[in-house]
Amino acid sequence: MDKTINITLKVWRQKGPKEKGHFETYNLQNISTNMSFLEMLDTLNEQLVAKHEEPVVFDHDCREGICGMCSLYINGHPHGRDSHTTTCQLHMRRFKDGETITIEPWRSAGFPVVRDLMVDRSAYDKIMQAGGYTSIRCGAAQDANALPIPKPDADEAMDAASCIGCGACAAACKNGSAMLFVSAKVSQLALLPQGRVEAARRAKAMVAKMDELGFGNCTNTGACEAECPKGVSIANIARLNREYLKAKLKD
Amino acid sequence: MSSIFQSSIGKKLIMSVSGIFLVLFLLFHMCMNLVAVFSASAYNAVCAFLGTNWYALAGTAVLAFGFLFHIVYAFILTVQNRKARGNDRYAVVDKPANVEWASQNMLVLGAIILIGLGLHLANFWYHMMFAELVEAEGQYGPTEGAQWLSYYLSKWPVAIAYIVWIVALWFHLSHGFWSMLQTIGWNNLVWLDRWKTAAKWYATIVCLGFAIVVLGFAFEVFPLLDNCCSEAAAECATKCADACSCK
Amino acid sequence: MANTIDSKIPQGPLAEKWTNYKAHQRLVNPANKRKLDIIVVGTGLAGASAAATLGEMGFNVLNFCIQDSPRRAHSIAAQGGINAAKNYQNDGDSVYRLFYDTIKGGDYRAREANVYRLAEVSNNIIDQCVAQGVPFAREYGGLLANRSFGGAQVSRTFYAKGQTGQQLLLGAYSSLSKEIKNGTVKLFTRREMLDLVIIDGRARGIIVRNLITGAIERYFAHAVVIGTGGYGNTYFLSTNAMGSNGSAAMQIYRKGAYFANPCYCQIHPTCIPVHGDIQSKLTLMSESLRNDGRIWVPKKKEDAEAIRAGKKTANDIPDEDRDFYLERRYPAFGNLVPRDVASRAAKERCDAGFGVNETGLAVFLDFKYAIQRLGEDRVRERYGNLFEMYEKIMAQNPYKTPMMIFPAIHYTMGGIWVDYELQTSIPGLFCIGEANFSDHGANRLGASALMQGLADGYFVLPYTIQNYLADQIQVPRIPTDAPEFDAAEKAVKDKIAKIMSIQGKRSVDSIHKELGHIMWEYVGMGRTKEGLTNALAKLKEIKKEFWSNVYVPGKADDLNTELEKALRLSDFIDTGYLIAIDALNREESCGGHFREEYQTQDGEALRRDDLYSYVSCWRYQGEDQDPELLKEPLDYEFTERKTRNYKE
């Protein structure tokens, strides 16, 4: 039952944001197919440490697909080939014996490499700080049921809100565009009455920040949606465009 | 208002609006071409009608600007997007299954269309509109559109180039059509698939329309009702054109 | 420091304590708030909500987290929901009822006044989150929906699909982002707190390590708030995130903050079982699965053995040979008994040799009967995403073959001791959320963790901290080159240098796994005096092994993930010791703490209210000495203590 495979890893190693990176090849023997992908990397790192070499640096935390910390570009796909899966939910049974697996960091000007496979995604935080909120003060809220919200709107807002901020959208986009991320937040709040109040301001501020940070322009390829581990729809991008253009035309 | 066209969405809006213009123009052009399927004289009449009068010229100018914006912004956006991608490229790239090939190759497709456009302008527009403007002399007169069609499309390399062009156009339109609606924000969960289907239909109809004319003239089966190569027909066409022109 | 514990509970009737407190506490005026700095460590539900709210009030907040973004804190992984006494379902809920359920669920080991306040502010939390745009589930009428959860007779749990923690955290994160934009909060990501700085007996700053550059940095504040979560990863395998650690708590414990009730660790019954040695963490399956799934093991040992050997599958066992042990033992509650009871029952069956999976450490959770009763579509509607998650991890289809589950460490009720104001025994040092010990007693009910984290951060700490800061307005900002900062930084650097210099043979993880085995084996679900004594000896050995044989590659002043893990492990080892000492001291069984010597004839927990109705507060006495035990008596003025009974 506990099948094992042998694999070859081609892992991107890079000392720092300004230094030149390269691929390093590692062979791993007897990898249990029940392992998760990150546990396989743990195994690699244990072996490297045993040889007194520096382990491969990669981001990871919750390992249950929700924190958005893991960020590997595996064989040409962010979070690997499977749809609706984060890297930490990917298992080695999805790979064949003898397979070569290429692991790269997110490659986007907005996400500079910090070390090896770890990138700096603080740009997404900055976009959020530009307007991804409702300006309410704690203690000032009215009763939660004072504002009925149609279930379909609430459900659609929830689907947009399920974004985990991992950055796979910008990593998958051939234009390095962060539109899916931005649109998910703008959509969530635009769909709800409590977010409508500042909808115009929010759309303008978040798009301006996104542009300023050097993310690319959306050309509607849909790669972001296809690679999004939470399946956030590009219909949100249409809504962002609408909100933004409406806001700008009003000015 | 000032900064709207400096923003990413604003630039895309320019692509989208100029795209809508071109989409409508292509539909019109295709309908016009189809006239040649049936009658050389009627086609020539259309050619004459769209000759050198102010609204045709104005239309052409607007069209030219639309093209220009579309092309210039395509390059501006592509340059920005390449920069946004960062310096290192992925070593392994694998397109997700449900991403349209066309959507990721719009610039290449656009470039093919642009080359095709050059050919097209040299072949037809130069002879049929430009010549009329500068009163240059050609093998056929500017209003003898059907003759020009026969003349060029009966040459195989030209016909093949046109077919390549039309195929590229199909891919470009199949993405561009719904993409422009998406960009102006005219889309949602329900319409996403509908517009994608509509885009394929539109692209197919327009491209089939163009392709029929090319193939029909290449195999010399068009026009169906009168033979444009016969002297009589040519004469008739000239008369028709004279009658229809608004001189 | 005094030997008596003053919990500063306000006088007066239970329902008026908090109102009275707020009416009489001291406040800081707006002009003075700008002059006061507050450090908040952690950006989970408690930390982010506290930092945001303090920022809104006008304080200068410095907020630290170890991840690359505040949004990644492990609160994000909470699935089920958040309780509140809104009574929107008109099913008789009230603040008192939520208070009572929480006290009872905690096996009468929590402070009445704290829990009542928690229940009181629970309603404000829902209002606050809705105003932030948290997309809670709604009914067709547009109003909020509720679901029921274990340990309650009413439906009071608000939820956002199976991602309630995520949505609440993103709500707090959005408020935090707003305050960062407004300039009241400064955010420091990828920074790990390594020590507390105390000046003249008051908490005045922290020493952190920049995880990217390895640089040691100093930060001053008039008050320090710790919201760094629980210490479940002491057991190596838990449902916590890989980075979750109890180091900040250990650092302040060593500086004099009491550590309360460390032995109360919650073991969640429905986790996906362990598959092998390389396993890095355990995945929780929502407790809601027990609403429709039936838990069983084979009745015959030979069947269990055949399943373990792969000769039989669950579907080969006929109904009459299945032992639905929860339904058998607890006819009234059946599969819906509280977490601690369900976990112990599973362990009992596996210990008796009836466990399944290759390891023998799993029981079945079977949806065959629910599918027969409701149809596959209805089951898919209710649990589809959980079934998918299970299939991804286990490669088995739960619609066709029963799930396998096993208990795992999930939450720690114990933590840093705080008084009613959430202040620790060090003046100016506050502790919020899972990191403190306050509200759950010996066992936490489902959907109460989110409630407590947000209650502390939004509605309690921002008030109570002002009572402390009111007389700090004259204190100027102390420069970080003060000798106390020098000393603290030196201690941190020495510790790091010592770890780097060992250059032994063992990897950090290998020692952590060994620690985890000991903890799970002897300080896990069933504890005995003998086992705990044994564990204490082994933990001393582990400590020695760590400090003499760990190997950390790389440099100290550089990004070094192994060093990060090593520093945390050194604290986990001490935490483990503390858990074991506390478990040994508490000669009773209550909630998450089960001493096998103290059980009823039916194998149920035997609480000893006459002897152990107190909070165990442990005071640090030095590196190689056992801590001193201080007791905060728990007086039950307003509720009557009963034995929990889930049989009838």
Side-chain angles (χ1 to χ4, degrees):
Chain A
M1 201 169 156
D2 203 25
K3 225 185 104 198
T4 61
I5 52 174
N6 300 332
I7 49 170
T8 304
L9 296 180
K10 275 180 70 188
V11 181
W12 184 259
R13 310 276 331 231
Q14 185 173 340
K15 261 289 183 192
K18 298 234 160 61
E19 295 182 54
K20 225 169 150 39
H22 65 281
F23 280 105
E24 197 81 60
T25 304
Y26 304 100
N27 291 305
L28 282 181
Q29 312 288 320
N30 300 321
I31 292 296
S32 160
T33 52
N34 284 334
M35 265 184 207
S36 74
F37 194 83
L38 295 183
E39 284 164 358
M40 180 274 291
L41 285 180
D42 290 343
T43 309
L44 169 68
N45 277 347
E46 279 289 291
Q47 292 181 6
L48 290 176
V49 171
K51 285 191 281 184
H52 288 204
E53 287 173 34
E54 286 207 26
V56 177
V57 175
F58 59 95
D59 265 327
H60 63 102
D61 201 21
C62 80
R63 297 207 177 184
E64 47 189 281
I66 194 79
C67 75
M69 192 98 174
C70 57
S71 56
L72 306 179
Y73 199 87
I74 302 160
N75 284 349
H77 295 274
H79 297 298
R81 202 188 169 82
D82 291 2
S83 61
H84 295 191
T85 302
T86 56
T87 296
C88 64
Q89 291 174 309
L90 183 66
H91 280 70
M92 293 312 293
R93 64 178 76 93
R94 308 291 293 154
F95 297 90
K96 290 189 282 292
D97 191 29
E99 193 169 338
T100 298
I101 304 171
T102 308
I103 311 174
E104 301 173 72
W106 285 177
R107 295 197 194 280
S108 166
F111 299 149
V113 171
V114 174
R115 171 80 53 95
D116 297 345
L117 303 169
M118 177 194 272
V119 299
D120 177 1
R121 283 170 288 189
S122 56
Y124 272 15
D125 285 330
K126 289 183 189 134
I127 295 173
M128 285 292 286
Q129 286 154 18
Y133 45 75
T134 63
S135 296
I136 63 116
R137 201 178 327 104
C138 184
Q142 59 184 340
D143 185 83
N145 257 353
L147 207 58
I149 298 170
K151 185 172 159 58
D153 290 352
D155 287 350
E156 204 177 340
M158 176 64 223
D159 288 340
S162 61
C163 164
I164 56 174
C166 64
C169 43
C173 179
K174 75 178 191 63
N175 308 323
S177 166
M179 283 286 273
L180 191 66
F181 169 78
V182 178
S183 72
K185 196 36 128 190
V186 167
S187 272
Q188 178 207 338
L189 294 175
L191 279 160
L192 302 171
Q194 55 269 51
R196 280 268 27 127
V197 183
E198 295 170 277
R201 206 178 107 170
R202 178 181 309 114
K204 285 187 288 184
M206 290 180 79
V207 169
K209 184 52 93 176
M210 172 187 86
D211 290 349
E212 181 196 320
L213 291 167
F215 286 100
N217 308 285
C218 174
T219 62
N220 305 320
T221 68
C224 50
E225 177 187 289
E227 300 288 14
C228 174
K230 298 295 153 184
V232 174
S233 165
I234 55 169
N236 292 308
I237 296 183
R239 186 176 290 105
L240 168 62
N241 291 335
R242 196 155 68 232
E243 292 287 333
Y244 180 80
L245 293 174
K246 240 172 33 191
K248 275 290 187 187
L249 290 174
K250 234 185 240 166
D251 285 351
Chain B
M1 195 57 202
S2 61
S3 66
I4 184 167
F5 296 119
Q6 279 153 27
S7 71
S8 57
I9 294 178
K11 285 178 206 141
K12 287 290 299 171
L13 182 70
I14 290 173
M15 290 298 284
S16 170
V17 171
S18 55
I20 291 175
F21 194 77
L22 298 176
V23 158
L24 292 174
F25 167 72
L26 281 172
L27 193 65
F28 163 74
H29 196 314
M30 185 271 295
C31 293
M32 197 184 76
N33 285 7
L34 283 186
V35 174
V37 170
F38 302 105
S39 162
S41 50
Y43 183 71
N44 288 352
V46 172
C47 294
F49 181 67
L50 292 172
T52 50
N53 49 65
W54 68 268
Y55 45 84
L57 275 175
T60 309
V62 172
L63 188 66
F65 271 109
F67 260 112
L68 205 64
F69 269 112
H70 202 74
I71 293 159
V72 167
Y73 270 85
F75 278 99
I76 293 176
L77 287 168
T78 304
V79 168
Q80 278 188 349
N81 291 346
R82 282 191 69 82
K83 223 175 99 192
R85 204 78 196 82
N87 294 328
D88 285 311
R89 305 278 137 171
Y90 288 117
V92 181
V93 180
D94 188 10
K95 185 180 75 64
N98 34 1
V99 168
E100 299 162 343
W101 174 83
S103 71
Q104 299 202 311
N105 295 283
M106 289 296 273
L107 189 80
V108 176
L109 292 167
I112 296 174
I113 294 169
L114 189 61
I115 294 168
L117 184 69
L119 179 74
H120 184 61
L121 290 178
N123 286 358
F124 295 104
W125 180 79
Y126 174 76
H127 293 303
M128 288 156 71
M129 191 165 187
F130 188 73
E132 200 175 340
L133 272 179
V134 299
E135 291 172 358
E137 298 224 339
Q139 193 170 355
Y140 302 104
T143 54
E144 292 170 316
Q147 284 81 350
W148 285 115
L149 277 179
S150 285
Y151 171 73
Y152 277 116
L153 293 176
S154 56
K155 296 178 184 171
W156 276 103
V158 177
I160 288 169
Y162 271 93
I163 293 298
V164 170
W165 185 42
I166 289 166
V167 169
L169 191 64
W170 186 89
F171 279 106
H172 199 82
L173 287 173
S174 71
H175 175 69
F177 183 89
W178 77 264
S179 180
M180 72 192 184
L181 293 162
Q182 169 89 357
T183 298
I184 57 171
W186 207 21
N187 210 345
N188 60 28
L189 276 177
V190 177
W191 277 89
L192 203 57
D193 283 338
R194 290 183 187 170
W195 282 135
K196 281 188 184 178
T197 311
K200 294 220 169 73
W201 275 101
Y202 166 82
T204 308
I205 289 168
V206 165
C207 291
L208 264 182
F210 284 128
I212 283 171
V213 173
V214 172
L215 291 173
F217 278 93
F219 288 103
E220 297 178 13
V221 291
F222 290 160
L224 297 173
L225 300 180
D226 51 10
N227 189 342
C228 71
C229 299
S230 74
E231 292 285 320
E235 223 167 275
C236 163
T238 320
K239 272 183 202 154
C240 275
D242 288 343
C244 295
S245 76
C246 303
K247 280 175 191 165
Chain C
M1 256 171 269
N3 276 335
T4 51
I5 305 251
D6 179 9
S7 51
K8 294 194 201 155
I9 293 177
Q11 294 301 311
L14 187 62
E16 289 166 26
K17 283 178 193 287
W18 181 230
T19 315
N20 282 342
Y21 176 88
K22 286 194 291 182
H24 297 106
Q25 68 159 121
R26 290 172 299 173
L27 295 172
V28 180
N29 87 24
N32 285 329
K33 281 179 183 150
R34 284 195 292 274
K35 294 187 210 153
L36 293 170
D37 298 348
I38 302 172
I39 283 174
V40 178
V41 187
T43 58
L45 284 178
S49 58
T53 308
L54 291 168
E56 284 169 5
M57 288 175 157
F59 291 104
N60 260 320
V61 181
L62 292 83
N63 194 192
F64 296 82
C65 70
I66 56 171
Q67 295 90 350
D68 66 336
S69 163
R71 66 181 296 155
R72 317 233 188 259
H74 198 52
S75 304
I76 205 152
Q79 299 170 354
I82 176 165
N83 287 332
K86 281 283 193 187
N87 193 27
Y88 283 159
Q89 302 302 318
N90 195 27
D91 52 6
D93 200 7
S94 64
V95 169
Y96 184 83
R97 209 171 268 278
L98 174 55
F99 153 76
Y100 180 77
D101 288 344
T102 309
I103 285 279
K104 179 188 173 198
D107 226 351
Y108 302 95
R109 289 291 177 265
R111 256 187 225 145
E112 281 181 317
N114 282 56
V115 177
Y116 196 87
R117 177 179 64 189
L118 175 66
E120 243 180 306
V121 302
S122 68
N123 291 340
N124 304 59
I125 297 172
I126 303 301
D127 300 343
Q128 161 76 0
C129 295
V130 167
Q132 282 170 336
V134 170
F136 281 124
R138 286 180 184 264
E139 295 162 353
Y140 279 101
L143 302 181
L144 293 162
N146 291 111
R147 58 165 64 138
S148 57
F149 240 71
Q153 287 167 306
V154 293
S155 287
R156 62 161 73 102
T157 305
F158 295 81
Y159 61 101
K161 278 196 174 165
Q163 293 137 264
T164 318
Q166 180 199 24
Q167 293 310 315
L168 295 176
L169 183 66
L170 293 183
Y173 164 70
S174 73
S175 285
L176 183 66
S177 299
K178 164 173 69 76
E179 289 311 308
I180 294 169
K181 167 91 178 298
N182 290 342
T184 58
V185 177
K186 262 203 216 83
L187 179 67
F188 299 87
T189 59
R190 298 213 201 249
R191 302 289 205 297
E192 183 153 13
M193 174 177 166
L194 291 184
D195 210 354
L196 177 75
V197 179
I198 296 180
I199 300 178
D200 295 333
R202 292 171 188 268
R204 289 297 189 203
I206 58 171
I207 305 289
V208 305
R209 183 166 177 273
N210 182 324
L211 299 181
I212 299 298
T213 63
I216 305 296
E217 302 167 350
R218 309 166 175 200
Y219 296 92
F220 161 83
H222 293 88
V224 177
V225 181
I226 304 292
T228 51
Y231 47 87
N233 267 347
T234 308
Y235 289 78
F236 187 73
L237 286 182
S238 81
T239 64
N240 285 3
M242 302 304 288
S244 301
N245 66 80
S247 287
M250 268 294 125
Q251 290 147 22
I252 61 174
Y253 159 73
R254 288 195 201 100
K255 291 272 166 144
Y258 307 149
F259 207 116
N261 298 333
C263 77
Y264 295 156
C265 304
Q266 182 166 76
I267 294 173
H268 199 292
T270 48
C271 298
I272 297 177
V274 179
H275 61 66
D277 290 340
I278 193 65
Q279 184 139 6
S280 57
K281 80 154 264 155
L282 295 170
T283 304
L284 175 77
M285 304 286 287
S286 171
E287 182 166 332
S288 62
L289 287 171
R290 286 196 281 143
N291 278 315
D292 287 307
R294 292 179 73 189
I295 295 175
W296 63 274
V297 292
K299 255 184 199 159
K300 299 179 191 153
K301 244 185 206 160
E302 56 267 31
D303 282 342
E305 279 155 13
I307 289 173
R308 289 203 286 271
K311 288 177 193 147
K312 274 189 181 178
T313 66
N315 292 333
D316 297 333
I317 315 291
D319 276 10
E320 59 272 20
D321 287 337
R322 299 177 173 195
D323 175 15
F324 300 92
Y325 57 88
L326 285 176
E327 295 166 30
R328 169 168 61 79
R329 285 176 66 179
Y330 309 100
F333 277 69
N335 294 299
L336 282 173
V337 290
R339 291 175 177 177
D340 52 338
V341 179
S343 294
R344 275 198 301 276
K347 176 179 156 58
E348 187 275 333
R349 280 295 84 188
C350 293
D351 287 350
F354 295 94
V356 294
N357 203 7
E358 285 161 71
T359 53
L361 293 175
V363 299
F364 289 122
L365 174 63
D366 204 337
F367 282 85
K368 181 176 91 176
Y369 309 96
I371 290 170
Q372 280 165 5
R373 183 163 47 90
L374 302 165
E376 196 171 314
D377 287 343
R378 289 283 296 284
V379 171
R380 193 183 305 276
E381 212 173 274
R382 285 184 195 175
Y383 307 110
N385 56 341
L386 294 168
F387 279 33
E388 264 173 47
M389 180 168 94
Y390 181 86
E391 195 167 352
K392 258 181 212 164
I393 296 174
M394 298 292 279
Q396 287 178 357
N397 179 353
Y399 295 100
K400 300 267 181 294
T401 159
M403 284 184 181
M404 287 189 288
I405 53 165
F406 199 65
I409 294 283
H410 178 54
Y411 185 90
T412 51
M413 282 73 68
I416 294 299
W417 180 88
V418 288
D419 60 21
Y420 189 73
E421 298 184 314
L422 303 181
Q423 187 163 215
T424 67
S425 43
I426 299 174
L429 179 66
F430 294 78
C431 191
I432 54 177
E434 189 182 351
N436 75 25
F437 90 108
S438 68
D439 299 344
H440 304 298
N443 177 51
R444 178 177 67 76
L445 290 181
S448 281
L450 304 183
M451 173 172 69
Q452 185 229 336
L454 290 180
D456 286 1
Y458 284 133
F459 295 106
V460 181
L461 178 90
Y463 285 97
T464 59
I465 200 168
Q466 291 189 63
N467 202 30
Y468 170 78
L469 288 171
D471 60 10
Q472 297 294 306
I473 49 179
Q474 302 296 339
V475 178
R477 294 191 167 109
I478 299 171
T480 52
D481 53 7
E484 288 86 352
F485 277 98
D486 289 343
E489 181 177 317
K490 185 176 180 304
V492 163
K493 282 190 166 160
D494 288 350
K495 183 175 179 180
I496 291 172
K498 195 171 165 194
I499 289 176
M500 295 303 296
S501 72
I502 297 168
Q503 295 290 310
K505 291 195 167 57
R506 301 273 306 266
S507 72
V508 177
D509 277 355
S510 76
I511 301 179
H512 197 165
K513 279 179 192 176
E514 197 181 327
L515 170 69
H517 280 305
I518 295 169
M519 293 301 293
W520 184 245
E521 190 65 23
Y522 302 106
V523 201
M525 270 186 285
R527 301 159 174 179
T528 63
K529 186 172 187 171
E530 194 195 344
L532 290 165
T533 318
N534 200 348
L536 285 172
K538 284 178 187 281
L539 288 169
K540 278 185 179 155
E541 282 169 35
I542 284 258
K543 187 166 182 172
K544 218 158 72 195
E545 173 77 359
F546 175 86
W547 286 105
S548 62
N549 201 18
V550 75
Y551 172 72
V552 177
K555 291 188 294 228
D557 55 352
D558 190 12
L559 192 160
N560 190 337
T561 49
E562 288 295 304
L563 176 60
E564 289 164 29
K565 288 196 288 184
L567 284 164
R568 291 172 198 156
L569 177 58
S570 71
D571 291 322
F572 280 134
I573 294 172
D574 291 349
T575 313
Y577 195 81
L578 212 48
I579 300 172
I581 273 206
D582 189 42
L584 184 63
N585 169 69
R586 191 164 282 276
E587 296 191 325
E588 66 164 348
S589 296
C590 62
H593 169 64
F594 190 79
R595 284 283 297 265
E596 288 181 1
E597 303 96 314
Y598 306 98
Q599 50 181 311
T600 64
Q601 283 181 330
D602 310 331
E604 303 305 326
L606 183 67
R607 221 173 54 221
R608 297 168 80 196
D609 290 337
D610 48 338
L611 293 168
Y612 291 96
S613 186
Y614 61 77
V615 177
S616 310
C617 307
W618 297 94
R619 187 156 80 176
Y620 183 70
Q621 297 292 314
E623 228 3 62
D624 296 313
Q625 278 175 44
D626 282 355
E628 179 194 5
L629 174 65
L630 305 174
K631 297 173 184 173
E632 179 199 336
L634 287 170
D635 299 319
Y636 278 77
E637 270 184 82
F638 307 97
T639 36
E640 186 197 345
R641 275 186 271 228
K642 291 181 183 155
T643 303
R644 293 194 302 166
N645 183 350
Y646 297 98
K647 287 178 195 291
E648 341 171 319

